[in-house]
Amino acid sequence: MVARLCQVPVPSGAVISPDGRRIAYVLTTVDEDADRYHRAIWLIDADGGAPRLLTEGSAPKWSPDGRQLAVLQANQLWLIDPDSGDERQLTDRELGAGAAAWAPDGTRIAFSAAVDLPRDDGTAHAASDPVVTRRLGYRSDGIRGYRRPHLFVVEVATGNVEQLTDGDWSAHSPVWSPDGTRLAFAGLQDPRTDNSLSTAPFVLENGEPRRIGTEDMLRALAWDPSGDALLVARMAERSETQPRLLRVPLDGSDAIDLLHGSTLQPPTLTNDGRILTTVNERATTRVYELDPPRPLGDEDLIWITALSAATSRAAIVYAAPDTYGEIATLDLSTGIRKTLTSYTADALHDLDWVRPEPPTFEISDGTTVSGWLLRSPTSERAGEPAPLLLDIHGGPHGWWSPVMQFGHPYQLSLAAAGWSVLLLNPRGSDGFGDDFHAAVYAKQGFGDEADLLEPVDQLVAEGIADPDRLAVAGYSYGGFMTNWLTAHTTRFKAAVTGGGMCDLVSLGGTADVGVGMMDLIYGGTDPAVLRPQSPYESVANVRTPTLILHAVDDDRSPVGQAEQWFAALHTLGVETELVLYPDADHLFLTSGRPSHRLDYARRAITWLTEHLSR
């Protein structure tokens, strides 16, 4: 079953044409021979009908007149005629180009692209040169040294390219003002904010960048329809996932919170100037129209991954308990969703899988914790307790939604094989309010341990979970908490820790955003604060057989964290196995090699089933 789950085509990045008639989107499929994901642009009529393949590539963007699509092919910008299929290459940069931002008149496209900074004498750096830095941002997503993103603009008619920004700082994500005279963008200029996630909004005026407002930790931005302000999605204090959507005036006056809640998708504008976004409400998604905010429809149990609006309707990509992702339209007056595709149902038409139940749990201090339970129908009908996997999400400010989880196909496979799988949203999870979100700041492990263990106790007491067949797993922060729990309880018979952390002191100095991550989540960089939160401080207590899975080129949670945990468990005589995935980074379960995703799932299933059957 797990192999079938890993083969399902998944759509993303839907954009609706300006007239609202057609939707372009990216369809990701698996190329088994090349061991890679294949991405292509497809078109579908917004009123329904069969989708058709348009071209290879990703990141489609409609021209303002709807006659062309700008797409990325092999990291270069191309123009595609959606009717004839004619293609024209627009850029030919050695380091590639980023996604297109069309000027309102359709004559220019802005984009960001990587630039290699020169040596002091103006010559290019060689790959063999030593990396010399006085800033923390010398490493990000596997890129080390002298590479920075900067802004460019290309003339559509001629292909002439002009670089707009340069220097030892970062500029990316350009958006044109409504009149086409200015560019807003996200930038990181101040060396003092390196690795603090303090990207800020700027406007390029007369060739010079001007910082707008005092907001930082930028997630997305757009122009207000008036042209007098920016719409800025910024992270809330002590959060990297719960952004606020603000209107930030260009004149320096106070920013206005448009939503008073957590926005997810970047703000999108309708043709008549209305502002739309999506909101995380208790780990499900709803579309909101803003100023003033009002929800569109009463959808539940879906997760929206793309939103693009015309005038009377929007295009969305959504996941649900029965799909990894589908294309749909959303009527902006009624909120009614019309699904246009059936990729998951077509790929898995002969399979049945478990749909999630929504249990809630009262923790001993009075906190309510919710989540999702994948419960085997076989054990439920028999009335017998089943083996239980507690699977912990990343973050800590992530969340489990009730949809099919692309990076975790082992969940459905285990449930189909007779397991129950518990997916909890403990304190720190996004979508449950600011207080809940901030409750684990500087108290990782201490602040959320009860939220994970007490629900397991309740399922045991209810006869759903077998107390002698309990397992724990997690990825990223979930790997951290797997390490923490196995260092503080021996109740689990098996553990699978992926992409995890064990030593916060060393993590702060070795992760690509380590310093910022320590400040944002763990309470700073003082070892006296970090050590009590580190599972490694209690590693001598571990008795649980542990499978450790990690990407070799992971810069967010460097591979040394896995190796340190493995060495400690091996030295202690704890049964353990270390699996390292080459040429893979922290996000390899969703964007790496398909074979690695399948291997990860199979190894997790094998380890868990073998150890719980003993």
Side-chain angles (χ1 to χ4, degrees):
M1 180 178 184
V2 69
R4 293 279 300 279
L5 292 169
C6 288
Q7 292 288 328
V8 178
V10 180
S12 61
V15 287
I16 195 166
S17 59
D19 62 7
R21 292 176 48 243
R22 294 185 289 186
I23 299 168
Y25 62 95
V26 180
L27 187 67
T28 300
T29 55
V30 173
D31 183 339
E32 287 189 270
D33 293 336
D35 194 18
R36 68 181 184 91
Y37 293 107
H38 176 263
R39 293 175 176 85
I41 310 297
W42 288 66
L43 282 179
I44 193 168
D45 193 306
D47 289 322
R52 69 179 177 91
L53 174 65
L54 179 61
T55 186
E56 307 295 307
S58 61
K61 302 290 182 182
W62 289 98
S63 61
D65 61 9
R67 296 180 180 178
Q68 298 183 92
L69 277 165
V71 304
L72 284 177
Q73 290 184 0
N75 294 321
Q76 302 294 342
L77 281 170
W78 287 67
L79 294 180
I80 312 295
D81 184 319
D83 297 311
S84 68
D86 292 342
E87 303 184 0
R88 175 166 70 94
Q89 187 170 346
L90 200 57
T91 64
D92 186 20
R93 292 185 46 77
E94 182 180 356
L95 299 179
W102 286 89
D105 63 5
T107 63
R108 297 159 293 164
I109 291 175
F111 62 94
S112 61
V115 173
D116 277 333
L117 301 180
R119 295 188 182 106
D120 291 341
D121 62 4
T123 60
H125 285 280
S128 60
D129 284 355
V131 175
V132 180
T133 183
R134 296 189 179 188
R135 298 185 62 167
L136 288 174
Y138 65 93
R139 181 164 64 103
S140 178
D141 297 329
I143 298 174
R144 290 166 171 79
Y146 306 101
R147 191 160 293 177
R148 303 286 184 270
H150 277 290
L151 302 186
F152 296 79
V153 66
V154 57
E155 297 286 341
V156 172
T158 66
N160 292 331
V161 176
E162 177 186 3
Q163 184 171 343
L164 303 181
T165 62
D166 61 12
D168 189 9
W169 58 290
S170 300
H172 58 89
S173 305
V175 285
W176 292 92
S177 61
D179 61 6
T181 62
R182 294 162 294 172
L183 276 173
F185 64 92
L188 181 60
Q189 277 194 327
D190 189 343
R192 293 172 299 176
T193 62
D194 282 354
N195 270 11
S196 67
L197 310 181
S198 296
T199 305
F202 289 80
V203 169
L204 198 63
E205 296 178 334
N206 299 318
E208 295 296 325
R210 178 168 73 90
R211 168 73 185 264
I212 303 299
T214 60
E215 307 299 332
D216 57 14
M217 298 196 297
L218 190 65
R219 286 291 297 271
L221 80 163
W223 282 87
D224 186 79
S226 67
D228 297 328
L230 298 180
L231 304 175
V232 173
R234 76 172 299 272
M235 292 179 283
E237 186 178 359
R238 295 179 179 173
S239 165
E240 82 279 21
T241 63
Q242 188 156 295
R244 293 292 188 265
L245 186 59
L246 309 175
R247 178 183 283 118
V248 182
L250 301 186
D251 63 9
S253 53
D254 292 341
I256 300 171
D257 191 331
L258 296 177
L259 191 58
H260 300 291
S262 174
T263 184
L264 289 168
Q265 293 301 313
T268 184
L269 304 181
T270 65
N271 296 343
D272 54 1
R274 289 174 290 158
I275 305 167
L276 303 180
T277 191
T278 61
V279 176
N280 180 352
E281 294 182 342
R282 304 189 65 80
T284 60
T285 310
R286 186 168 296 177
V287 176
Y288 270 72
E289 181 178 339
L290 302 181
D291 206 14
R294 70 176 185 93
L296 298 178
D298 56 358
E299 290 278 11
D300 60 1
L301 298 187
I302 70 169
W303 191 262
I304 296 174
T305 60
L307 171 67
S308 171
T311 298
S312 61
R313 60 186 169 189
I316 64 171
V317 181
Y318 75 92
D322 60 354
T323 179
Y324 282 121
E326 306 296 346
I327 304 296
T329 58
L330 187 71
D331 188 295
L332 297 183
S333 59
T334 66
I336 294 174
R337 168 169 54 94
K338 178 182 178 181
T339 301
L340 304 177
T341 61
S342 55
Y343 286 112
T344 298
D346 292 345
L348 304 177
H349 61 89
D350 58 339
L351 291 182
D352 192 17
W353 59 90
V354 177
R355 272 57 169 181
E357 304 170 18
T360 59
F361 303 92
E362 294 300 319
I363 308 305
S364 52
D365 66 356
T367 301
T368 299
V369 169
S370 63
W372 312 98
L373 180 65
L374 301 174
R375 189 177 181 189
S376 166
T378 303
S379 61
E380 185 175 4
R381 286 193 298 267
E384 298 176 353
L388 175 77
L389 173 65
L390 169 64
D391 200 2
I392 307 171
H393 67 60
H397 304 310
W399 57 89
W400 286 126
S401 60
V403 307
M404 295 178 69
Q405 300 292 334
F406 181 83
H408 308 274
Y410 58 83
Q411 295 174 350
L412 291 174
S413 295
L414 287 169
W419 286 59
S420 294
V421 180
L422 180 60
L423 309 175
L424 292 169
N425 287 311
R427 271 168 274 207
S429 302
D430 194 5
F432 299 87
D434 290 347
D435 292 342
F436 193 87
H437 188 271
V440 293
Y441 176 72
K443 326 186 252 199
Q444 309 303 323
F446 300 105
D448 45 9
E449 177 182 304
D451 295 356
L452 297 167
L453 294 182
E454 291 188 21
V456 173
D457 292 336
Q458 293 183 43
L459 294 182
V460 168
E462 293 170 13
I464 294 173
D466 183 341
D468 296 322
R469 293 185 293 168
L470 302 176
V472 62
Y475 190 83
S476 191
Y477 182 77
F480 168 90
M481 280 306 299
T482 297
N483 297 340
W484 175 276
L485 292 179
T486 57
H488 290 81
T489 178
T490 58
R491 65 183 314 179
F492 297 106
K493 290 192 67 176
V496 178
T497 177
M501 304 84 80
C502 67
D503 183 353
L504 299 182
V505 177
S506 62
L507 182 72
T510 57
D512 58 353
V513 292
V515 172
M517 190 159 50
M518 296 303 110
D519 288 339
L520 196 63
I521 299 172
Y522 300 103
T525 57
D526 184 349
V529 174
L530 297 178
R531 286 196 182 103
Q533 300 176 76
S534 296
Y536 194 72
E537 294 296 301
S538 303
V539 69
N541 300 325
V542 177
R543 299 292 181 271
T544 306
T546 302
L547 174 64
I548 304 169
L549 306 164
H550 214 98
V552 172
D553 297 330
D554 190 337
D555 278 341
R556 194 58 42 89
S557 176
V559 68
Q561 295 286 317
E563 293 169 331
Q564 184 174 348
W565 195 246
F566 173 71
L569 297 189
H570 188 277
T571 302
L572 291 166
V574 176
E575 184 182 357
T576 184
E577 182 173 293
L578 174 65
V579 181
L580 301 178
Y581 293 91
D583 301 318
D585 61 20
H586 194 63
L587 301 179
F588 82 100
L589 289 184
T590 55
S591 59
R593 295 179 183 272
S595 64
H596 286 170
R597 175 180 166 224
L598 179 57
D599 183 86
Y600 187 106
R602 283 176 168 166
R603 289 183 185 277
I605 292 169
T606 299
W607 185 269
L608 294 171
T609 54
E610 287 184 354
H611 284 83
L612 265 68
S613 64
R614 294 178 179 178

